[in-house]
Amino acid sequence: MTDTTVKSNILTLTSFWILGLCNNFGYVVMLSSAHDILKSKSSVPEGNDTVISNSTVVAYARECNHLSTGVILLADIIPGLLIKTFSPFFALHVNRRLSLCIGLTVASFITVARANTELIAAIGVALTAMASGLGESTLLSYMVNYERGVITSWSSGTGAAGILGALTYAGLTGFFNLSPSTTLYLMLSVPGLMGVSFWVLLEHPNKDVTQITQHSSESNKQNQTVSSKISYMPQLMKFMIPLGLVYFFEYLINQGLFELVYFENIWLTHAEQYRWYQVLYQLGVFISRTSVNLFPIEKIWILTILQGFNVILFLIEALYSFIPNIYIIFAIIVFEGLLGGGAYANSYHNIMKKVPKDKQEFSMAMTSFADSIGVSLAGVLAIPLHNRICLLPK
């Protein structure tokens, strides 16, 4: 292998790592700031733990926001889900799609930072979801033009987005005492870095990215019709179902139960506990997404079962607060992140190994739809679950 080839491989892996980081960064920040977004944009005065609906006031028995952070989760995932549903069936115009992703990300940060109501904040979060969903579907499909190693690089970058996004938000708002709005303005550099990574650092298989797309579409024309894609979907269920269930379980925990698992009179406030839960979860995700080559897993259903046990554990803890120390919760949250990140990275790694080359572009994009379905269902269930538990005595 020549020095030029080594340099090219390093640039390619580095570029996909940065692309994964930038694509998921805004998504993670919005989930990390969910508690603050609802608190600061809420029409209910701070400290008044009530639900006001149709002139009826319901007092919460616990310390709760009057809306679950599942509301932010839904705004942060459903638009992306819609994009992931349809984008695999359209031509892969990479330049246009990446330009749109960057524009949507910029608009989302500004909208949420300037929002003065929950509705405007939710719209801003939805823009982030659209950018992340389009970027993930597009770049996963584009990876089939490279060696399998880019999957690990991309997965590691998305995992890094989790820990760096959550840690950056928690650090800037906590240690540096910046407002959530100022913090979001500072993060406008992220979409710019994404553009530099794709159009400057990344070495494309052909200098003209558009020609690559056209050539790929023409060479696979017989296998890439809408009808053939739909007929191939049943063969993807072995990848999609376990991945979707893992994400359903973990986001039910993160957005339905995290906020309800808190310890009183310790060195962290309730809001700070929520932020650091997100950081530790993302740490677990980063570790498992980065180590897929070292610890490959083919039986994703094992991770699904373990994540299901985590749901039960966190539900019991939210109801009865039986765990005596927050450090035990910290350890369980890291484990939860390991399961989620492992399911993500290994699912796409298995596709690159087992799916025929001419089906990989569609399979990569379509499988990303599965985790979005799981997250969306978790968001829907998280809202009534949150409200029901909040009404119970602690």
Side-chain angles (χ1 to χ4, degrees):
M1 184 178 291
T2 65
D3 291 342
T4 301
T5 303
V6 172
K7 181 180 178 181
S8 176
N9 289 338
I10 292 175
L11 279 175
T12 297
L13 294 175
T14 301
S15 298
F16 272 104
W17 191 90
I18 295 174
L19 287 169
L21 171 72
C22 295
N23 188 73
N24 283 31
F25 197 89
Y27 171 84
V28 172
V29 167
M30 294 305 174
L31 289 184
S32 296
S33 62
H35 188 279
D36 294 333
I37 290 172
L38 290 175
K39 199 76 172 179
S40 62
K41 312 306 178 189
S42 174
S43 58
V44 178
E46 187 173 349
N48 185 8
D49 297 323
T50 60
V51 177
I52 302 175
S53 176
N54 297 327
S55 300
T56 301
V57 179
V58 180
Y60 276 154
R62 299 163 180 249
E63 183 181 337
C64 297
N65 278 318
H66 77 285
L67 288 177
S68 164
T69 54
V71 173
I72 297 298
L73 176 62
L74 287 177
D76 208 5
I77 196 63
I78 287 181
L81 171 64
L82 295 176
I83 287 178
K84 288 182 180 182
T85 303
F86 298 106
S87 65
F89 299 96
F90 291 92
L92 188 64
H93 297 295
V94 180
N95 284 318
R96 298 176 189 175
R97 290 191 181 195
L98 262 293
S99 298
L100 181 57
C101 287
I102 291 171
L104 288 171
T105 303
V106 171
S108 70
F109 282 137
I110 294 175
T111 301
V112 175
R114 294 177 60 87
N116 53 14
T117 66
E118 289 172 343
L119 176 60
I120 299 301
I123 291 173
V125 173
L127 292 175
T128 305
M130 294 173 65
S132 179
L134 181 60
E136 182 177 31
S137 178
T138 300
L139 291 169
L140 283 171
S141 294
Y142 191 58
M143 284 178 206
V144 301
N145 295 296
Y146 298 87
E147 296 295 326
R148 192 188 303 166
V150 299
I151 290 291
T152 302
S153 185
W154 162 270
S155 298
S156 176
T158 59
I163 186 170
L164 290 178
L167 188 59
T168 299
Y169 182 82
L172 290 176
T173 55
F175 291 120
F176 292 94
N177 202 30
L178 297 180
S179 69
S181 294
T182 301
T183 300
L184 291 173
Y185 282 129
L186 290 176
M187 293 178 181
L188 286 172
S189 58
V190 173
L193 179 60
M194 186 177 191
V196 171
S197 178
F198 185 79
W199 285 299
V200 179
L201 292 181
L202 181 62
E203 293 195 8
H204 302 279
N206 187 303
K207 291 183 179 179
D208 188 342
V209 179
T210 305
Q211 289 179 3
I212 297 171
T213 302
Q214 292 174 344
H215 175 73
S216 176
S217 299
E218 291 172 0
S219 63
N220 296 317
K221 188 174 182 180
Q222 296 299 320
N223 296 309
Q224 296 300 315
T225 62
V226 173
S227 59
S228 68
K229 289 178 178 179
I230 293 175
S231 65
Y232 190 71
M233 284 182 62
Q235 299 184 55
L236 297 178
M237 291 299 106
K238 60 185 176 183
F239 304 110
M240 296 176 68
I241 292 176
L243 180 62
L245 285 175
V246 168
Y247 269 72
F248 169 74
F249 291 144
E250 70 183 271
Y251 277 86
L252 184 60
I253 296 169
N254 293 4
Q255 307 308 134
L257 299 174
F258 264 7
E259 187 188 1
L260 303 175
V261 175
Y262 63 94
F263 293 79
E264 298 177 349
N265 303 319
I266 66 170
W267 51 282
L268 291 172
T269 67
H270 186 184
E272 288 170 342
Q273 289 177 51
Y274 177 85
R275 294 172 195 164
W276 287 106
Y277 289 168
Q278 295 290 343
V279 172
L280 292 168
Y281 161 76
Q282 298 296 349
L283 173 62
V285 170
F286 172 68
I287 293 171
S288 57
R289 289 191 180 189
T290 303
S291 59
V292 61
N293 284 337
L294 297 175
F295 304 102
I297 300 172
E298 292 193 2
K299 298 179 180 180
I300 307 298
W301 58 266
I302 296 176
L303 307 182
T304 304
I305 294 173
L306 292 175
Q307 202 71 293
F309 284 130
N310 279 338
V311 172
I312 297 172
L313 178 63
F314 273 95
L315 178 60
I316 296 173
E317 170 62 17
L319 290 171
Y320 301 109
S321 300
F322 72 98
I323 294 178
N325 194 293
I326 194 171
Y327 292 105
I328 299 175
I329 292 293
F330 285 169
I332 298 172
I333 289 173
V334 172
F335 176 65
E336 179 212 354
L338 287 172
L339 296 176
Y344 179 93
N346 283 282
S347 293
Y348 295 114
H349 196 258
N350 291 338
I351 288 174
M352 292 286 277
K353 288 195 302 183
K354 298 180 179 181
V355 172
K357 185 70 175 180
D358 60 338
K359 298 291 187 181
Q360 287 180 4
E361 180 181 303
F362 170 73
S363 300
M364 297 286 278
M366 200 68 234
T367 301
S368 70
F369 169 78
D371 61 69
S372 296
I373 280 285
V375 176
S376 298
L377 292 175
V380 171
L381 182 58
I383 296 171
L385 179 64
H386 164 276
N387 293 340
R388 177 60 181 169
I389 294 176
C390 281
L391 293 173
L392 296 176
K394 185 172 175 61

